[in-house]
Amino acid sequence: MKKLSTLLAATAIATLMAGSAWSKTLVYCSEASPEGFDPGLYTGGQTFDASSRTVYNRLVEFKHGGTELEPGLAESYEVSADGTEYTFKLRPGVKFQTTDYFTPTRDFNADDVIFSFERQYKADNPWNKYVAGASWEYFSGMGFPDLIQSITKVDDLTVKFKLKQAEAPFIANLGMDFASILSKEYADKLAADGKMELMNQQPLGTGPFTFVAYQTDAAIRYKANPDYWAGKEKIDDLVFAITTDAAIRAQKLKAGECHVMAYPNAADVAELKKDENLTILEQEGLNVSYLAYNTLVAPFDKVEVRKALNMAVNKQAIVDAVFQGAATVAKNPIPPTMWSYNDKVEDDKYDPAAAKKMLEDAGVKDLKMKIWAMPVARPYMLNARRAAELMQADLAAIGVTVEIVSYEWAEYLKLSSAKDRDGAAILGWTGDNGDPDNFLDTLLGCDAVGGNNRAQWCNKEFDDLMTKAKATADVAERTKFYEEAQVIFKKEAPWNTLDHSLVFVPLNKKVTGFVMDPLGIHRFNGVDIAE
């Protein structure tokens, strides 16, 4: 029975990956399965790769290779003098994809924009809870429910956002994955058929690739959207071959079984560079990895305890062991390549003796805690289990007993956001829009508690600075607020900031047009394979 099951699975994967004899197929060895295909519901990069950057578009888009915005489904927009009204002129003639499961009867219009956003914050919208436990983590964590006063349709190709106050990063935020535009017509059909859950399983958008099929935990198949408003892609078929082991991804790339791979082991990079058939792209990541204490649960509600644990961990040893030096120790919650980075902040020094005394002075003895280790490789943390083992040994040296726990990735993300989560969780972040707000407020703001704020840390002084920074478009003023916020963060230590990493993308030399993205996304529009 086991052999038959294996054969059937292999056959299913082969069917997904097989293109027509005359088609041009690109295979991407991805690192993890998507949590779903509705990008508004999730925050994982592997989910965005599989959904928002293939199937969908947004009103504005980030240019490949940078954080500069360009027109997307909106050709242009106007902002009122007080910064509270944004009027978007939508691109005419944009077609939604035609699939085996739905044929659109109309072009994209303002109704789709309103539907895509209102479902994320209106509790009475029938799509607000169409997936069990839907929390719209990005939308909520960034304070959008309190920011948006209304979204109105001026006409079919004009939509107006009315905000309750000015919000400097608002446009950049609309280029993010949670702001992808879905088809209201498709949603209405699913609702009428009593099959709303298919929105998260059979996606349909306006993007460069049309979803074909998903073999769970094995492969995802797409085809080039023939009606794509920016022109049909040069590759005909795109396949995500889900391969959780980085070493196996590297083997597949070297064997020609995939054209691009995600997140190689640091120890494998030198060997991959020797392969004459491969090109290794690299850049500094707009990222941070951290250990988030649950500040709502004793004894991690005491700053002295958090500081002590930080001082007990040798972060340089983690960088050396996990990244082979291809990373730097982090002291701030934003990377040094980002504007407003406060280099004057002093990191918690590695000092086990002082750490042990600080714990004793805080009245904490024989502490037993859990460290949560991510089960997948991410650009900011290639091997969380190894990092956790190193921290486990460091903390044992000051009398702290650590149990390392992990869960399947989607479950890990869900459980680690719980307010009653025990211990400390290894997580990280790659910037979504190049704005400091996307790190500081999204990960540490009070609105994000119970969501992206895994430390469950709500500090009024810090939060007020976030509000002030968003209320002005003056970069110099915003920089002052963010620099001050970093000082408060370091003083309160809701995290142990671990590292900022280099990011590598190995690919076959036949692949052309692939551009590394500082936002950590693997995008395949504009990519080709040389004959």
Side-chain angles (χ1 to χ4, degrees):
M1 179 63 72
K2 184 176 181 181
K3 288 184 178 179
L4 177 60
S5 298
T6 302
L7 177 61
L8 289 173
T11 302
I13 296 170
T15 301
L16 273 176
M17 295 179 66
S20 305
W22 56 86
S23 70
K24 188 180 292 187
T25 301
L26 185 142
V27 179
Y28 165 55
C29 277
S30 65
E31 78 284 10
S33 301
E35 300 153 274
F37 290 92
D38 181 346
L41 293 168
Y42 306 107
T43 63
Q46 84 285 359
T47 296
F48 294 155
D49 285 346
S51 59
S52 46
R53 299 300 173 174
T54 48
V55 177
Y56 296 106
N57 290 121
R58 289 139 294 282
L59 293 174
V60 292
E61 303 280 3
F62 292 106
K63 289 184 178 180
H64 280 221
T67 57
E68 183 182 351
L69 289 168
E70 63 183 359
L73 292 178
E75 288 188 317
S76 64
Y77 66 90
E78 295 179 354
V79 187
S80 64
D82 65 357
T84 63
E85 288 189 1
Y86 289 75
T87 303
F88 293 88
K89 290 293 183 181
L90 306 182
R91 190 179 297 276
V94 174
K95 309 290 183 187
F96 278 100
Q97 298 147 357
T98 296
T99 66
D100 291 341
Y101 44 87
F102 186 74
T103 300
T105 65
R106 65 164 177 81
D107 290 349
F108 154 76
N109 67 30
D111 294 330
D112 304 304
V113 177
I114 294 171
F115 163 73
S116 299
F117 286 97
E118 285 193 345
R119 71 197 185 106
Q120 299 190 56
Y121 73 101
K122 290 196 171 183
D124 59 351
N125 187 294
W127 286 89
N128 187 252
K129 297 296 182 186
Y130 88 96
V131 169
S135 63
W136 309 103
E137 195 169 335
Y138 255 125
F139 191 92
S140 299
M142 295 172 68
F144 267 48
D146 295 325
L147 174 67
I148 296 176
Q149 180 170 311
S150 63
I151 309 175
T152 55
K153 177 180 178 179
V154 179
D155 57 47
D156 275 354
L157 294 177
T158 310
V159 64
K160 179 179 290 187
F161 286 71
K162 174 68 175 175
L163 309 183
K164 294 177 183 177
Q165 67 268 345
E167 180 93 348
F170 180 67
I171 285 293
N173 290 343
L174 292 187
M176 290 168 55
D177 302 87
F178 79 91
S180 296
I181 304 302
L182 283 63
S183 165
K184 184 178 185 299
E185 185 186 19
Y186 178 45
D188 290 344
K189 179 66 165 59
L190 291 177
D193 292 345
K195 298 179 179 179
M196 296 171 73
E197 72 280 357
L198 293 183
M199 181 68 82
N200 198 31
Q201 300 168 23
Q202 296 180 333
L204 183 142
T206 60
F209 296 98
T210 301
F211 177 84
V212 176
Y214 174 40
Q215 177 69 26
T216 304
D217 297 332
I220 315 169
R221 169 85 180 275
Y222 309 86
K223 64 180 180 181
N225 176 7
D227 301 316
Y228 186 43
W229 55 269
K232 181 182 177 295
E233 294 301 322
K234 295 174 183 177
I235 55 176
D236 301 295
D237 295 284
L238 173 64
V239 175
F240 280 34
I242 299 164
T243 313
T244 56
D245 189 307
I248 295 176
R249 291 197 297 275
Q251 291 171 11
K252 286 185 175 182
L253 182 69
K254 290 173 69 69
E257 295 175 27
C258 57
H259 299 92
V260 182
M261 71 165 284
Y263 313 130
N265 286 324
D268 293 337
V269 171
E271 189 65 28
L272 290 169
K273 285 182 176 180
K274 295 177 184 177
D275 193 317
E276 61 183 14
N277 296 313
L278 304 179
T279 297
I280 314 299
L281 305 179
E282 65 179 83
Q283 68 178 200
E284 287 191 66
L286 194 70
N287 62 36
V288 65
S289 178
Y290 57 87
L291 180 73
Y293 304 108
N294 187 346
T295 61
L296 295 180
V297 175
F300 310 107
D301 56 341
K302 293 184 177 182
V303 66
E304 299 90 344
V305 172
R306 303 193 296 267
K307 282 281 189 181
L309 296 175
N310 285 359
M311 292 167 62
V313 172
N314 185 345
K315 296 192 289 189
Q316 186 61 53
I318 293 174
V319 166
D320 293 341
V322 176
F323 296 93
Q324 306 290 302
T328 57
V329 168
K331 64 179 181 179
N332 287 326
I334 64 174
T337 52
M338 175 167 276
W339 63 272
S340 82
Y341 179 83
N342 191 345
D343 199 30
K344 294 180 181 178
V345 167
E346 291 190 13
D347 202 5
D348 298 312
K349 293 181 179 179
Y350 172 52
D351 190 339
K356 185 173 184 179
K357 184 178 186 304
M358 188 177 287
L359 272 188
E360 292 172 351
D361 290 347
V364 176
K365 296 181 180 180
D366 302 319
L367 175 60
K368 292 179 173 59
M369 63 178 288
K370 292 181 179 178
I371 289 182
W372 292 41
M374 301 182 305
V376 298
R378 306 306 303 150
Y380 45 74
M381 180 49 68
L382 297 177
N383 189 333
R385 168 67 64 168
R386 181 66 180 131
E389 289 169 350
L390 291 168
M391 286 189 274
Q392 182 182 49
D394 285 343
L395 293 171
I398 66 164
V400 176
T401 302
V402 170
E403 177 189 357
I404 299 172
V405 298
S406 191
Y407 300 88
E408 183 272 329
W409 185 219
E411 191 73 359
Y412 185 98
L413 290 171
K414 178 182 177 181
L415 294 176
S416 64
S417 67
K419 292 182 180 180
D420 61 352
R421 185 203 74 230
D422 52 356
I426 299 175
L427 282 154
W429 195 257
T430 297
D432 293 292
N433 59 18
D435 196 290
D437 178 79
N438 181 243
F439 283 79
L440 297 172
D441 194 34
T442 300
L443 301 179
L444 294 158
C446 293
D447 284 333
V449 169
N452 280 326
N453 187 340
R454 260 62 178 202
Q456 318 301 343
W457 179 68
C458 179
N459 180 284
K460 186 179 186 304
E461 187 179 4
F462 181 96
D463 224 49
D464 287 346
L465 288 169
M466 294 301 100
T467 300
K468 292 175 182 177
K470 288 190 287 188
T472 177
D474 186 310
V475 173
E477 281 297 303
R478 296 185 73 202
T479 295
K480 291 177 184 177
F481 294 133
Y482 291 137
E483 286 179 343
E484 188 177 344
Q486 290 166 71
V487 172
I488 294 170
F489 164 85
K490 205 65 189 180
K491 177 184 175 183
E492 292 295 316
W495 299 349
N496 188 353
T497 47
L498 299 177
D499 68 80
H500 308 293
S501 72
L502 288 175
V503 180
F504 299 93
V505 178
L507 65 162
N508 191 290
K509 284 187 175 178
K510 291 183 179 180
V511 175
T512 62
F514 184 91
V515 179
M516 281 196 77
D517 194 320
L519 305 178
I521 299 295
H522 298 87
R523 297 194 282 189
F524 298 98
N525 50 315
V527 175
D528 197 4
I529 306 172
E531 297 293 347

